[in-house]
Amino acid sequence: MTDEQFPRPIVTVDIVLLTLSDERLCVALLQRATEPFQAVSGLIGGYIHADEDQDAEDAVRRILKQKTGLDGIFFEQLRSFASANRDPRGWSVSIAYFALVPKPVLEAAAHTLELRPVTEPGSLPFDHGEILAAAVNRLRGKGAYSTLPARLLPDIFTMSELQSIYETVIGERLDQSAFRRKISDLNLLEEVEGEKRQTERARRPTTLYRLKDPISVFNRRI
Amino acid sequence: MTDEQFPRPIVTVDIVLLTLSDERLCVALLQRATEPFQAVSGLIGGYIHADEDQDAEDAVRRILKQKTGLDGIFFEQLRSFASANRDPRGWSVSIAYFALVPKPVLEAAAHTLELRPVTEPGSLPFDHGEILAAAVNRLRGKGAYSTLPARLLPDIFTMSELQSIYETVIGERLDQSAFRRKISDLNLLEEVEGEKRQTERARRPTTLYRLKDPISVFNRRI
DNA sequence: TCAATAGTGTCTTTCAGACACTATGGT
DNA sequence: ACCATAGTGTCTGAAAGACACTATTGA
């Protein structure tokens, strides 16, 4: 830090907003209003506003609110992407975040978002394809060792729904018995009183659960 | 990304350079040449030079070379720290990296670095304390599931040295038998011909090993 | 009673931890 | 012969996977 005669790079925040639609992991995209890549769908992003944002997380919250209407959803920093050529406007830094939202919450709040399966995201502007891939990787990796995947469900859910979401995130089938045993050993959930059966075509009523802690990380793989 | 009338933040790169000294994990600090915090020891860092650096990793390599003389050592991105008040000069972004270097390599190349145990780093400028803590956390967390800790050893090492470094990084004693079994199951190492006993006071000669791959990540905990 | 999912019991295998044991070679 | 470290064998207990089993209730 010896010299400050260098041009400052552009700094933006980009958010990989993930949700579950039809048992598939999907990314929410927004059509760009301005150049470059005007009218192309890309990650939700924006400049940091030095006057209103105290830190990068503030910028994420503001941008999510402004551009999607969402508020109070889970997000965490992924990493930054910084290079001379990722943006045609010049040297730029994107501080990338990934966010998880239950589909119903997304539908209630969101403006006009486009959902695409993460496996076939189509062509994305800038290096958004790479950022998306990094987010999915992170979710898959951390998903097996944390309650992260539960952030894709509503606050209250059944054990089957939880298992199903883990299967989707991790990408493999899990044994029902072992799954319940592990979840129960880890003591992550609490029962919700007034059990009732959800929408499904099941006959037998299902116990409902909620997370004790917003987010838990553990050693053993689910 | 709608508007570009906002002042651009300062963007720097900061490197948490870790090594092992006396069985303790230490961070290498550099005395700052300029304000703010002139003459205070802090992380190795610098501005991105938009003209010479193609990306952030280029900046890391350049800064490491210029400020420490080190070349070709392991580093990876940690995360970014971005806020209005982390730097008295204004809104700033630090893309933080952590790097691992064997002590002999550090001593051979380094200019005037100061080594401090990560457990007692003293008072650091900016939010460098927080960045250091994040780096140590990452190393501890990832260390048990990868060959990362081996980057603190020379290319060729004994099984005992490897075990010892894992113990230091993870922060707990490991059973010798189980350790060797796991390492051998994972098939990470290859024997080096011409076994010889190293410096120690051991009587029996020791087999020497090197890593097959620069870095490996695995599922099971060491 | 049947369909359909909820939820449990138990066997087997795998693996980590503990710990005692053997091996080697300089002094 | 002895010491200090290198390196191995084996027992035990915990947990994972496989899979069959029972439970509940609307239709």
Side-chain angles (χ1 to χ4, degrees):
Chain A
M1 300 201 187
T2 51
D3 31 26
E4 168 59 308
Q5 61 277 45
F6 295 95
R8 298 183 177 187
I10 297 166
V11 178
T12 62
V13 156
D14 285 307
I15 303 157
V16 182
L17 179 60
L18 298 175
T19 194
L20 214 74
S21 184
D22 281 336
E23 306 261 298
R24 309 182 67 178
L25 198 58
C26 294
V27 58
L29 303 177
L30 207 53
Q31 208 159 326
R32 294 178 51 79
T34 59
E35 291 294 345
F37 299 104
Q38 180 161 15
V40 174
S41 291
L43 297 179
I44 298 152
Y47 288 103
I48 282 171
H49 291 190
D51 50 347
E52 14 173 7
D53 304 328
Q54 273 300 106
D55 56 29
E57 277 71 30
D58 277 353
V60 171
R61 276 182 285 269
R62 179 181 50 76
I63 290 166
L64 273 177
K65 182 68 183 167
Q66 280 179 1
K67 303 205 171 177
T68 72
L70 289 168
D71 217 346
I73 67 170
F74 169 85
F75 65 90
E76 79 175 32
Q77 193 183 312
L78 196 54
R79 66 180 180 92
S80 293
F81 295 76
S83 80
N85 50 27
R86 58 175 298 280
D87 186 318
R89 287 165 292 187
W91 227 106
S92 81
V93 177
S94 162
I95 310 179
Y97 285 78
F98 79 98
L100 301 178
V101 64
K103 183 88 178 301
V105 174
L106 186 67
E107 282 168 336
H111 304 170
T112 43
L113 291 176
E114 186 182 345
L115 284 189
R116 291 201 203 148
V118 296
T119 49
E120 301 148 6
S123 162
L124 298 178
F126 307 103
D127 51 0
H128 287 187
E130 198 190 335
I131 299 179
L132 170 60
V136 171
N137 257 337
R138 169 82 133 257
L139 176 59
R140 288 211 198 293
K142 196 167 172 179
Y145 297 94
S146 71
T147 55
L148 249 182
R151 291 319 196 100
L152 293 166
L153 290 178
D155 285 346
I156 293 177
F157 46 81
T158 72
M159 196 61 87
S160 303
E161 289 167 342
L162 188 65
Q163 179 176 346
S164 166
I165 215 125
Y166 269 99
E167 289 176 339
T168 306
V169 166
I170 301 173
E172 56 191 57
R173 304 288 299 174
L174 300 172
D175 180 81
Q176 190 190 24
S177 175
F179 180 80
R180 291 175 118 95
R181 193 170 48 207
K182 277 182 260 189
I183 292 289
S184 143
D185 286 352
L186 288 166
N187 192 29
L188 304 167
L189 306 182
E190 60 185 16
E191 281 194 29
V192 176
E193 300 310 322
E195 56 166 71
K196 54 170 191 272
R197 42 181 308 234
Q198 309 251 104
T199 69
E200 321 108 34
R201 56 206 174 204
R203 313 299 191 240
R204 179 174 173 178
T206 308
T207 313
L208 297 179
Y209 300 91
R210 77 163 64 86
L211 286 179
K212 280 185 180 169
D213 298 302
I215 188 83
S216 314
V217 181
F218 27 90
N219 290 324
R220 234 175 283 299
R221 189 179 171 83
I222 279 290
Chain B
M1 302 201 186
T2 51
D3 31 25
E4 167 59 307
Q5 63 277 43
F6 294 95
R8 297 183 177 186
I10 297 166
V11 178
T12 62
V13 155
D14 285 307
I15 304 157
V16 182
L17 179 60
L18 298 174
T19 193
L20 215 74
S21 184
D22 281 337
E23 307 261 297
R24 310 181 66 177
L25 198 58
C26 294
V27 58
L29 302 177
L30 208 52
Q31 208 161 326
R32 294 179 52 79
T34 59
E35 290 296 345
F37 298 105
Q38 180 162 16
V40 174
S41 291
L43 296 179
I44 298 152
Y47 288 102
I48 283 171
H49 290 189
D51 49 347
E52 15 173 7
D53 305 326
Q54 273 301 106
D55 56 28
E57 277 70 31
D58 276 354
V60 171
R61 277 183 283 269
R62 179 181 50 75
I63 290 167
L64 273 178
K65 182 69 183 165
Q66 280 179 1
K67 301 206 172 177
T68 72
L70 289 168
D71 218 345
I73 68 170
F74 170 85
F75 65 89
E76 78 174 33
Q77 192 183 313
L78 196 54
R79 66 181 181 91
S80 292
F81 294 76
S83 81
N85 50 27
R86 57 175 299 280
D87 187 316
R89 287 165 292 187
W91 228 106
S92 81
V93 177
S94 163
I95 310 178
Y97 283 78
F98 79 98
L100 301 177
V101 64
K103 184 87 177 301
V105 174
L106 186 66
E107 282 168 336
H111 303 170
T112 43
L113 290 176
E114 187 181 344
L115 284 189
R116 290 200 203 149
V118 296
T119 49
E120 301 147 7
S123 161
L124 299 178
F126 307 103
D127 52 0
H128 286 187
E130 198 190 336
I131 299 178
L132 171 60
V136 171
N137 257 338
R138 170 81 134 257
L139 177 59
R140 288 210 198 295
K142 197 167 172 180
Y145 296 93
S146 70
T147 54
L148 249 183
R151 291 320 194 101
L152 293 167
L153 290 178
D155 286 345
I156 292 178
F157 47 80
T158 71
M159 195 61 87
S160 304
E161 288 167 343
L162 188 64
Q163 180 176 345
S164 165
I165 215 123
Y166 269 98
E167 290 176 339
T168 305
V169 166
I170 301 173
E172 55 191 57
R173 304 289 297 176
L174 300 173
D175 181 80
Q176 189 191 24
S177 175
F179 181 80
R180 292 176 118 94
R181 192 171 47 208
K182 278 181 261 188
I183 293 289
S184 142
D185 286 353
L186 288 166
N187 192 28
L188 304 168
L189 307 183
E190 59 186 15
E191 280 194 30
V192 175
E193 300 309 322
E195 57 166 70
K196 54 169 191 276
R197 42 179 309 231
Q198 308 251 104
T199 69
E200 322 108 34
R201 54 203 175 204
R203 314 300 192 238
R204 180 175 174 176
T206 309
T207 312
L208 298 178
Y209 300 90
R210 76 163 64 86
L211 286 179
K212 280 185 179 167
D213 298 301
I215 188 82
S216 314
V217 180
F218 27 89
N219 289 325
R220 237 176 281 299
R221 189 179 172 80
I222 278 290

